[in-house]
Amino acid sequence: MLALFVVGLITSGLAGAAAYFLPVVVAAYAQTGQPRASTPAPEHASPGAPPAPAGGSAFTVLLMGSDDDTKFAQGVYLTQSMILIRINPATRHVTMLSIPRDLYVPWSTGGHGKIDEVHQYGDAASVATVERNFNIHVDEWAWVGLKGLVKLIDLMGGVDLTTGNPVLDDFYPADLESTNPYSYKRVAVLPGPQHLDGIHALEYVRSRHGDIQEDFGRSQRQQQVLLALRTKAKNVNAADLPGIVASFHDEFKTSFNLSDFGRLRSLISLASQISDPSQIEQIVLVPPYTGSDVINGADVVTPNWSLIRPLIQQKFT
Amino acid sequence: MTRPRWTAGRAAAVLLMAIVWIVSGIAAYLYLGAHRTTLATEAKKPTEAKLAQGPISRLPGTLYLVQGGTLYRLQRGSFSPVLKAPGGASVWTQPVFTPNGQSLVVVRRDYASSDLYLFDTSGRSPTLLTHNASRTVEANHWAFYPRLSPDGASLFFSYDRKDPGNVYNVVLSVYSMPMSPGSSFSQAKKWTVPASFTGGDIQPIPLPSGGVIYTKYSFDNKTNKILSQIYLTPRAGAPGKALTAIEDSCLQPALSPDGQRLAMICTGGKQFATLEIAHFDGSSLGPAQVLVSGQLAAQPAWSPDGSGLVYLAPQGLGGHFQLWLQPVPAPAPTASTAPTPNSTRGSQVGRPTPTAPPTPTPTPSPLTQPIQLTSGLDFEATSTIAWHA
């Protein structure tokens, strides 16, 4: 009778924990462990890069962010933001490189176009296009939608950062608060140290009309908010995961297999060990790495591969 | 073989076990839920803060700060709301005293525009000073960072005049308008020419000499970033002169009551911000002395007697900005322009070259640690702090 009681007690406790983590498990199977790429790794990809990074070897992650409002068909979005991140657990060094969204490149699916537009063929097409053009191997990727980013930042209690200059925009998309995806509003993010909630952090990273560097300036701001989020994420523990998953809902996909809790824990641990700003290198592909041109009537950013590829070789292999 | 007989006692035991199991399951669920990290801590309202016995109660005079769009008055360690947040997207922000200390100019920021209001110090008798709202989104205007001239006759602020050549070029310029009764924005004068697509010129501080100190944003080719500098312009329309180096990226200037020291926030284009002061001789800055580093320090405001600065900075990782006090060492008579090895930064520009070595060089007083005056509150770090005797 006593044994039955004890077994029942343990089982019920586990059942309670299982119920608590059920949203995480469901999300882990639905939104994580997505296919890595539709095409094989490029011939000249970094030699020896492991297909599934272990705890100690360096690996590369492609972060993608999209407008996912009703301008687009469900699931067919452009990538407004693409950031390559190289993480070296051994040296605890992180390199972040923003890819201009208007970069004119050959697509993995055939043809040429802006790199943000290839995402209409899926996450894997974007990953493969980055791999082929930048001549690297992307180990994992993650995609987040606008609302997901806002919810995540709010769940983290907002972010603290020093905004660089007044970000003023009279034609900022008001698509999150209007049924008209082409409506716009005015934003003014004032400069200096401050606390930003999700919606204002999004304004800071999304606005580009009033920036002398346009998308390049926006890329710098995106990296800045990403680092501020990482600072907040140091406090996250396993019990926070259901809330985080609920905040993302359908706004997050990744090739990381989040059902592998051991690896997830080691990644969180690694993030907490990287605290010195000198351990994080931020790169934006401003001229002379890129130029500008008009192709088929569209303003595009043209890559200077003779400068970009050696940089990638140095920082991402 | 006989089957066990169900007795009342046995049934009660099974029932009890089942209850314990259910409770155990629920307890496990609740235990995990209770161990979530408090990532989004709720801030208290300033009126709920128990501060009467703390160092904040010894601050002289009256301060005005903003939390959650509400303007609060701080006197003798006690906060009271003066202008409640209008609601929706509208907030009160950036209060500033008139020179006689009897009125306040406050920014009301709405969804697409902001306007300047004049109130008495209790938040009554409002006078609308600007009219920036429009039904057409891009026809709205911003007015931020109000500041009265020392004689109280002119109101300076930052304003986004429309660029007819490029609707995307939204930049702030420093403007001034008379504060006399019946005056309007139509009499406003543009003081500065901002660099396009940088955010512009902000945070004016009118000087008794008639000039204006302000923060100017420019694109720095070396770092590929838009950075800020403290500028001085002698008159409206005149080209300004940089008082700080662009790589220091300084902003939020605050002039001491005697007009001889300038406090500012410098970021170097990085994430952390330092609170610094430098001697100001009316046309240039001496080497800066770093008072506070390693924090996201913002909005320095001098005490009425010039013996200290209050500023806002977060409390740990929680992210809410609190009020801090940094005592300021008394200025050295002649050697304030002489750098000291550990706590000065000599990158100010336009500094006069000394013709003779300053002698003797007094040893600067050791800096005291900043004092955290509040906790658990959530002050708006882009809003200035007004402080009057």
Side-chain angles (χ1 to χ4, degrees):
Chain A
M1 189 72 165
L2 180 63
L4 177 66
F5 175 74
V6 171
V7 168
L9 197 64
I10 293 169
T11 306
S12 62
L14 289 174
Y20 185 82
F21 285 111
L22 185 62
V24 180
V25 175
V26 170
Y29 283 99
Q31 291 165 247
T32 72
Q34 303 271 336
R36 270 197 333 98
S38 60
T39 58
E43 288 176 16
H44 304 294
S46 54
S57 53
F59 58 100
T60 300
V61 181
L62 177 64
L63 293 186
M64 296 178 281
S66 289
D67 288 1
D68 52 351
D69 54 36
T70 53
K71 282 199 290 284
F72 308 100
Q74 181 68 30
V76 181
Y77 310 125
L78 309 185
T79 46
Q80 296 286 318
S81 172
M82 295 177 103
I83 302 176
L84 272 171
I85 304 179
R86 180 76 170 170
I87 301 161
N88 190 332
T91 60
R92 291 175 189 165
H93 188 85
V94 173
T95 305
M96 303 169 73
L97 181 144
S98 291
I99 300 173
R101 69 169 200 162
D102 292 338
L103 196 70
Y104 193 78
V105 294
W107 291 349
S108 64
T109 52
H112 287 68
K114 294 181 181 180
I115 199 164
D116 66 335
E117 292 173 353
V118 73
H119 194 258
Q120 63 189 293
Y121 298 107
D123 305 300
S126 287
V127 173
T129 299
V130 169
E131 286 187 331
R132 287 185 180 182
N133 284 282
F134 287 81
N135 211 18
I136 56 165
H137 175 74
V138 173
D139 295 292
E140 305 286 359
W141 60 265
W143 172 92
V144 64
L146 291 182
K147 290 174 194 159
L149 181 65
V150 171
K151 287 178 186 170
L152 177 67
I153 291 173
D154 283 338
L155 187 85
M156 295 284 186
V159 287
D160 305 318
L161 72 167
T162 302
T163 57
N165 59 296
V167 174
L168 308 170
D169 193 343
D170 280 4
F171 298 92
Y172 178 88
D175 47 4
L176 289 187
E177 52 205 85
S178 165
T179 53
N180 175 7
Y182 297 99
S183 62
Y184 56 90
K185 66 173 188 176
R186 304 186 84 216
V187 299
V189 181
L190 298 181
Q194 62 189 289
H195 181 79
L196 291 176
D197 62 12
I199 202 75
H200 291 99
L202 182 68
E203 289 175 357
Y204 183 62
V205 300
R206 198 181 179 200
S207 172
R208 70 189 171 89
H209 294 124
D211 196 308
I212 197 167
Q213 292 186 288
E214 297 184 340
D215 194 48
F216 297 117
R218 182 165 74 162
S219 295
Q220 289 173 352
R221 286 180 259 129
Q222 288 166 353
Q223 292 188 4
Q224 195 185 358
V225 167
L226 205 58
L227 291 174
L229 256 181
R230 183 199 62 92
T231 304
K232 276 296 183 78
K234 287 178 183 175
N235 277 2
V236 171
N237 67 34
D240 298 316
L241 290 177
I244 292 172
V245 165
S247 75
F248 274 132
H249 193 48
D250 289 332
E251 296 275 326
F252 179 69
K253 290 180 286 181
T254 179
S255 64
F256 276 112
N257 194 342
L258 296 190
S259 56
D260 183 353
F261 281 104
R263 191 149 149 262
L264 183 63
R265 202 170 54 239
S266 67
L267 279 174
I268 291 174
S269 167
L270 176 63
S272 68
Q273 291 166 16
I274 300 171
S275 54
D276 184 347
S278 67
Q279 294 171 289
I280 302 166
E281 187 174 8
Q282 295 174 254
I283 303 169
V284 177
L285 293 177
V286 294
Y289 292 100
T290 52
S292 57
D293 202 349
V294 177
I295 298 178
N296 298 328
D299 291 326
V300 300
V301 173
T302 50
N304 184 345
W305 292 119
S306 64
L307 292 178
I308 293 175
R309 288 200 175 118
L311 178 75
I312 294 291
Q313 182 72 22
Q314 181 192 352
K315 305 289 184 184
F316 281 80
T317 58
Chain B
M1 190 170 174
T2 57
R3 291 169 59 190
R5 283 172 52 198
W6 278 94
T7 63
R10 190 175 292 237
V14 169
L15 183 64
L16 187 64
M17 265 198 312
I19 291 171
V20 170
W21 290 341
I22 291 168
V23 169
S24 157
I26 294 171
Y29 188 97
L30 294 178
Y31 174 84
L32 286 165
H35 281 73
R36 281 177 298 181
T37 315
T38 319
L39 293 166
T41 47
E42 273 298 303
K44 289 182 291 191
K45 286 184 177 174
T47 47
E48 296 165 355
K50 304 276 190 286
L51 301 165
Q53 303 303 316
I56 196 171
S57 63
R58 294 189 285 277
L59 290 180
T62 306
L63 293 88
Y64 285 81
L65 302 100
V66 171
Q67 174 171 323
T70 294
L71 180 69
Y72 288 91
R73 175 170 49 204
L74 170 61
Q75 272 180 324
R76 292 181 289 279
S78 179
F79 285 96
S80 54
V82 174
L83 291 170
K84 292 196 174 170
S90 301
V91 295
W92 296 108
T93 185
Q94 299 177 348
V96 63
F97 275 104
T98 54
N100 61 13
Q102 292 176 0
S103 304
L104 290 167
V105 175
V106 189
V107 176
R108 176 178 160 141
R109 182 175 174 162
D110 294 307
Y111 182 73
S113 64
S114 59
D115 276 304
L116 308 181
Y117 283 76
L118 180 70
F119 289 96
D120 68 19
T121 53
S122 299
R124 299 191 195 97
S125 310
T127 304
L128 179 60
L129 302 172
T130 56
H131 299 81
N132 290 336
S134 169
R135 286 171 183 266
T136 307
V137 176
E138 60 271 30
N140 284 274
H141 286 276
W142 301 114
F144 290 119
Y145 306 109
R147 191 65 67 106
L148 275 298
S149 59
D151 61 3
S154 299
L155 174 63
F156 287 74
F157 53 97
S158 294
Y159 174 81
D160 61 326
R161 184 180 172 184
K162 300 300 175 188
D163 180 350
N166 192 327
V167 292
Y168 293 132
N169 182 28
V170 187
V171 279
L172 296 162
S173 308
V174 172
Y175 275 74
S176 73
M177 61 182 273
M179 274 296 279
S180 51
S183 59
S184 71
F185 183 76
S186 63
Q187 299 165 270
K189 191 192 298 181
K190 185 179 178 184
W191 271 69
T192 65
V193 180
S196 294
F197 296 100
T198 61
D201 302 334
I202 60 172
Q203 297 158 351
I205 301 179
L207 303 173
S209 65
V212 173
I213 288 175
Y214 62 100
T215 302
K216 184 174 197 66
Y217 283 87
S218 315
F219 181 68
D220 178 35
N221 287 310
K222 281 187 195 162
T223 57
N224 273 310
K225 287 180 178 175
I226 299 169
L227 300 177
S228 56
Q229 286 174 280
I230 308 295
Y231 257 64
L232 169 66
T233 187
R235 61 187 180 279
K241 165 191 167 187
L243 298 180
T244 59
I246 193 163
E247 61 268 22
D248 294 338
S249 199
C250 299
L251 68 157
Q252 297 177 358
L255 195 63
S256 62
D258 63 6
Q260 294 186 15
R261 285 174 295 172
L262 191 76
M264 56 201 157
I265 298 298
C266 297
T267 69
K270 303 261 178 3
Q271 192 48 214
F272 283 108
T274 55
L275 169 57
E276 308 184 1
I277 57 170
H279 176 73
F280 178 58
D281 65 5
S283 64
S284 59
L285 286 183
Q289 182 180 12
V290 178
L291 298 182
V292 176
S293 60
Q295 278 188 310
L296 285 180
Q299 304 298 347
W302 288 91
S303 63
D305 64 358
S307 66
L309 285 159
V310 289
Y311 65 97
L312 302 173
Q315 173 186 15
L317 272 179
H320 296 312
F321 278 75
Q322 306 303 320
L323 186 64
W324 298 68
L325 172 67
Q326 174 63 57
V328 178
T334 55
S336 58
T337 55
T340 51
N342 295 326
S343 60
T344 60
R345 205 175 39 70
S347 57
Q348 269 63 36
V349 296
R351 183 159 50 98
T353 308
T355 52
T359 56
T361 303
T363 308
S365 324
L367 284 177
T368 50
Q369 290 293 310
I371 302 159
Q372 186 176 341
L373 298 175
T374 64
S375 61
L377 305 183
D378 185 16
F379 292 116
E380 175 53 55
T382 59
S383 176
T384 45
I385 301 169
W387 195 353
H388 200 277

